[in-house]
Amino acid sequence: MLLVLEVGNATTTLGAFRGDELVFTARTATRHTPLPDEHALMLGQLLALYGCAPNSFDGAAISSVVPGLYPALTAAVKQLCGCAAVCVGPGVKTGLDIRLDAPAALGSDRVCGAVAAASAYPLPALVCNFGTATTICCIGDGGQYLGGCIAPGVEVGAQALADRAAQLPQVALKAPASVLGKNTAEAMQAGIVYGAASMVDGMVARYTQLLGQAPTVVATGEFAPLIAPCCRTPLVQDAHLLLRGLRQIYCKNRR
């Protein structure tokens, strides 16, 4: 079995693969602690919750957008499961032709999403990841990573409005019935949710013009179920895209 950890700024997703089958997934808040014991305790509790013994894993793969957590996470996996972990970062084989000014600076989450999308979907493709940030990654018809864009995520935008505007409250992140908000909360929800969806629609149109053909658009991330249905562009929702990309990267690098 393979243990995979996808560590975001706010949440961490754990998955377990048996061969190419994803047996289970679990989510928890990301712990920004340098102490391996705390991470090992968290991982052990999640595995116990799903009835999975730590010593059943033959390997592990970790992607973290918080690079400083890699030492603690690898030590925790070694302590708990007794196996070394492949960490997504510079020097790791991905199979991607990354055409950026500084390829090593590409976020590990974007790498995992691109690797999985390039192998699973018709190219060219766009990967829209709705998390703390909303990112769009563009993959060419030959599998090249061409670039992309980064925008504030919907939760970040909602929090910023509540923090910076005296008369605007915190609101639940959900799509209202219409873009015609009839009160302050509905107006904010319409702007946040339909605004994010419209941004994606507009950016997809720009990428389509740039590529010269319509790309496959894949949506993943915590807020994909909220935003994707509000887009006019057809989006394929793939909740476990990054975990599958992590598994593929592990397979390319295992000894």
Side-chain angles (χ1 to χ4, degrees), residues 73-107:
L73 290 167
T74 54
V77 168
K78 182 69 173 178
Q79 176 183 344
L80 185 68
C81 303
C83 56
V86 171
C87 296
V88 181
V92 171
K93 299 175 185 177
T94 65
L96 283 179
D97 177 11
I98 302 176
R99 300 187 179 181
L100 299 181
D101 295 338
L106 182 62

Side-chain angles (χ1 to χ4, degrees), residues 145-213:
Y145 188 99
L146 300 177
C149 64
I150 303 173
V154 290
E155 189 174 52
V156 170
Q159 188 63 54
L161 281 175
D163 289 345
R164 300 292 295 272
Q167 291 186 299
L168 297 183
Q170 291 188 345
V171 295
L173 286 177
K174 64 179 184 179
S178 168
V179 292
L180 291 170
K182 297 299 185 179
N183 53 59
T184 300
E186 285 185 358
M188 291 177 66
Q189 290 166 339
I192 293 164
V193 177
Y194 291 118
S198 298
M199 184 273 287
V200 171
D201 289 332
M203 291 302 292
V204 170
R206 290 173 181 266
Y207 281 115
T208 299
Q209 184 178 26
L210 185 68
L211 294 166
Q213 57 182 307

Side-chain angles (χ1 to χ4, degrees), residues 11 25 34 43 49 51 59 66 72 75-76 80 83 102 106 111 145 157 184-185 198 201 208 232-233 251:
T11 60
T25 64
L43 292 175
L49 182 64
V66 189
L80 185 68
C83 56
L106 182 62
V111 171
Y145 188 99
T184 300
S198 298
D201 289 332
T208 299
R232 292 179 174 176
T233 303
C251 292

Side-chain angles (χ1 to χ4, degrees), residues 31-46 69-81:
R31 300 189 181 188
H32 295 259
T33 172
L35 302 177
D37 285 351
E38 289 192 31
H39 292 286
L41 179 63
M42 177 268 293
L43 292 175
Q45 290 173 335
L46 287 176
L69 291 180
Y70 274 133
L73 290 167
T74 54
V77 168
K78 182 69 173 178
Q79 176 183 344
L80 185 68
C81 303

